Amino acid sequence: MSVVNDNITLDMFQPAQISADESDRISAPSIGFWKDAWLRLRKNKAAVVGLFFIVLIVIMAIVAPMLSKYGIDDQDVVNRQNLYPRIPGLEWLGFDGKDSTGMDTYELNGVKQNFWFGTDELGRDIWVRVWAGTRISLIIALIASIGDCLIGVAYGGISAYYGGLVDNVMQRVIEILAGIPNLVLIILFILWLGGGMTSIILALIISGWIGMARIVRGQVLKLKNQEFVLASRTLGSSDQRIIWKHLIPNVLGQIIITLMFTIPGAIFFEAFLSFIGLGIPAPAASLGSLNQAGFENLQIYPYMALFPALILSILMISFNLLADGLRDAFDPRMRK
Amino acid sequence: MTTQKNERQKYVEVNNLKKHFKVGRNAYLRAVDDVSFYIYKGETFGLVGESGCGKSTTGRTIIRLYDATAGEVLIDGVNVHAKKSRAELKDLNKKVQMIFQDPYASLNPRMTVKDIIAEGIDVHNIAKSKKERDERVYHLLETVGLNREHANRYPHEFSGGQRQRIGIARALAVDPEFIICDEPISALDVSIQAQVVNLLEKLQKERGLTYLFIAHDLSMVKHISDRVGVMYLGKMTEVAESDELYDNPLHPYTQALLSAIPVPDPDYERTRERIILEGDVPSPVNPPSGCRFRTRCPFATEVCAQVTPRWTEQRKDHWVACHLYDDEYKGNFNR
Ligand SMILES: Nc1ncnc2c1ncn2[C@@H]1O[C@H](COP(=O)(O)OP(=O)(O)OP(=O)(O)O)[C@@H](O)[C@H]1O
Ligand SMILES: [Mg+2]
């Protein structure tokens, strides 16, 4: 099985010249943590799809309501009540403006223009309401998640960094808060403050920051005795410097991942609150209140529930896919 | 040198140092328990002992990373654990630095090598401009045998030996006089170990550094150290000049450790007697009464369980804690 090759002679070999300098050279381009994570995230198809849909929905939530000449509460019960969705080019999918009996709702009412998502029982353009509702849902979720994040990071960080008695007391407080059922807390809160965006956001923050605080505490506990933190201490760094230069940058990945999981949680919780009637008061809309309206009319006008439910589902799945991808991208064990 | 020993200046003095960790209600882990030794200026003091005997804790308590439970540490005449002003603390932090054991945990993965090395420069405002800061970092990189192109890279791009050298450069940035090396080579390949040791020796010669060199391997320490201390379960058992310790070990524990080192002489290897230690190291939460080593000591008698051995200077600069050499208790042993 051996290959015989007589052509190799001794003088074909040369001693390799490797100086100490040479062996220390690193040829690959330098890649920082964030760039590395981005490269890894880009390879994850599901996460990229998730990211694409999130960006698409966010852009639509900003610009789509402007594409219609109607406002969110422009009613007309005489001329355009309960029109079915009509999308030019998508008639074959059923978006042809005809109801279940095959009657063209547009012809009956003598309406010329198209309502892409149809109109509701007050004649309001559902396209406008769905995207404006998405916008409100996103704003609520974003503010609530950032609030969670700020409180959670500060609370968890202080608790872990100072440790000892401080940690002990702060953790007992968390345990007591976590013992109260979320829903009870939130409902009491909304009853007290009344419905509306502010109270929903506050209610979400009150119940949401605990998870973030626990994760940050765990990370900081792990990090604060690492040798690079001790080295910084030996050099005489202040607590502030250690927190901002060493601890936060190393927890940031975890914070972002957790944030990405709390945002869909908050979106869903807002939808749930609106669904049980504790949400955004009419005439404003959110994905939750639109779903609720659609649910009430599900048997008569099924198209009303279709679009808000679809967007809510896509949004939730996308955030979860992205968060999953980020978790893999930030995982140091994935680093080669 | 030996003749001038009396005049040598003690740079570090550790007197009756204790560090106990609270591990439960009324339970304390005596990581360091009444340890005393001193380090002369410009020498390398090797500290050896089995894993968990309290070497790192001793090192960390010396530089105030841990507060001492009792005892005192004097560095260049300054009491480390006494209350200090900001300026005094900063001064101490510049004088004393540490090199760590794990090259993968001792560098912040989110910082570039430049920022890691410049940390001391930033904290103490040593550089007046960004350019001076860069120049200092480049110079330090070259001092430890890396090149300036490495400055903008991240720690994960380096090998263990290179990382350890970055750690050394970081410590050198503040121009320290005393460096505690906490097992700086245990995590490295044998071939790389020599590189790092040679670098440390070169730096010592050039800058007159004083080292506390922690290791768990006596044979390695002999090569590097001027004097060696042996620890067992939170206690110092023996301190002597390294040749003296190897030729003339007094404490049974030191004798056992030395007999475990193979000698490159087959005839001698065949005939010599090894002292095999029996049993495990007891828990530092509940250490044996009297002498800590008595549960594994081949010479132990009742007195060892009753009386804690005194820390005495048997010969010039040769300290030991064992009843075998204590005039008061010698008679209890029939050797
Ligand atoms: N922060 C701490 N809290 C509680 N116990 C500790 C702490 N640090 C160290 N210990 C305990 O103190 C004892 C001595 O630990 P130390 O790290 O000083 O040992 P070591 O001699 O350096 O060992 P190694 O060779 O493994 O590094 C061990 O039993 C360890 O579990
Ligand atoms: Mg150690």
Side-chain angles (χ1 to χ4, degrees), chain B residues 51-52 54-57 60 101 182-183 214:
Chain B
S51 190
K55 307 178 298 286
S56 298
T57 309
R60 290 176 184 187
Q101 173 170 5
D182 188 357
E183 307 201 28
I214 298 173

Side-chain angles (χ1 to χ4, degrees), chain A residues 129-280:
Chain A
R129 287 182 67 74
V130 162
W131 291 117
T134 307
R135 184 194 297 179
I136 288 187
S137 285
L138 282 172
I139 290 174
I140 289 176
L142 202 67
I143 296 180
S145 301
I146 290 174
D148 278 359
C149 189
L150 292 179
I151 298 177
V153 170
Y155 197 97
I158 290 171
S159 179
Y161 189 75
Y162 292 102
L165 186 67
V166 179
D167 188 40
N168 225 329
V169 171
M170 289 176 90
Q171 289 313 303
R172 297 299 85 74
V173 171
I174 278 204
E175 272 160 29
I176 291 169
L177 283 181
I180 306 172
N182 265 349
L183 203 55
V184 174
L185 207 68
I186 290 175
I187 290 174
L188 285 177
F189 207 75
I190 289 176
L191 287 179
W192 174 45
L193 280 179
M197 226 159 110
T198 327
S199 55
I200 293 185
I201 289 173
L202 286 176
L204 284 174
I205 291 178
I206 278 204
S207 60
W209 63 272
I210 291 176
M212 182 66 93
R214 284 189 167 148
I215 282 175
V216 171
R217 173 171 176 269
Q219 292 287 315
V220 172
L221 276 182
K222 196 182 78 187
L223 284 171
K224 75 169 185 179
N225 287 322
Q226 294 259 305
E227 289 182 345
F228 67 83
V229 177
L230 294 181
S232 179
R233 236 181 252 282
T234 341
L235 285 163
S237 300
S238 57
D239 283 355
Q240 225 179 352
R241 188 184 162 85
I242 290 174
I243 290 172
W244 287 104
K245 291 267 174 183
H246 294 288
L247 298 182
I248 301 243
N250 280 286
V251 189
L252 204 55
Q254 272 296 323
I255 293 176
I256 292 176
I257 294 166
T258 314
L259 192 67
M260 282 298 150
F261 279 118
T262 44
I263 289 177
I267 292 176
F268 187 75
F269 218 94
E270 182 279 325
F272 168 73
L273 285 178
S274 297
F275 197 84
I276 60 173
L278 289 172
I280 302 290

Side-chain angles (χ1 to χ4, degrees), chain B residues 193-212:
Chain B
Q193 287 186 349
Q195 278 183 20
V196 173
V197 166
N198 290 342
L199 173 64
L200 287 172
E201 285 185 331
K202 187 189 91 174
L203 291 169
Q204 184 171 41
K205 234 175 262 154
E206 288 170 3
R207 301 172 176 232
L209 295 169
T210 305
Y211 287 143
L212 170 59

Side-chain angles (χ1 to χ4, degrees), chain A residues 24 26 28-33 226-228 230-237 241 245-246 249-250 335, chain B residues 60 63 65 93 97 100 102 105-106 108-111 119 123-124 145 150 152-154 156-157 162 165 170:
Chain A
D24 280 342
I26 305 172
S30 177
I31 295 177
F33 172 75
Q226 294 259 305
E227 289 182 345
F228 67 83
L230 294 181
S232 179
R233 236 181 252 282
T234 341
L235 285 163
S237 300
R241 188 184 162 85
K245 291 267 174 183
H246 294 288
N250 280 286
R335 192 157 231 163
Chain B
R60 290 176 184 187
I63 50 169
L65 277 174
N93 287 329
Q97 277 305 307
F100 292 87
D102 182 355
S106 61
N108 185 344
R110 301 284 181 275
M111 281 164 88
E119 178 146 35
V123 170
H124 295 283
H150 291 150
N152 289 319
R153 294 182 174 275
Y154 288 86
H156 72 265
E157 301 175 57
Q162 289 174 322
R165 283 187 267 165
R170 167 177 59 194

Side-chain angles (χ1 to χ4, degrees), chain A residues 225, chain B residues 19-23 29-32 49-60 66 101 182-183 186 214-216 231 233-234 283-285:
Chain A
N225 287 322
Chain B
K19 176 65 201 175
H20 297 178
F21 293 108
K22 197 170 162 83
V23 288
L29 189 152
R30 296 149 192 245
V32 177
E50 286 166 275
S51 190
C53 71
K55 307 178 298 286
S56 298
T57 309
T58 307
R60 290 176 184 187
Y66 297 148
Q101 173 170 5
D182 188 357
E183 307 201 28
S186 312
I214 298 173
H216 56 241
M231 273 185 90
L233 208 57
S283 151
V285 181

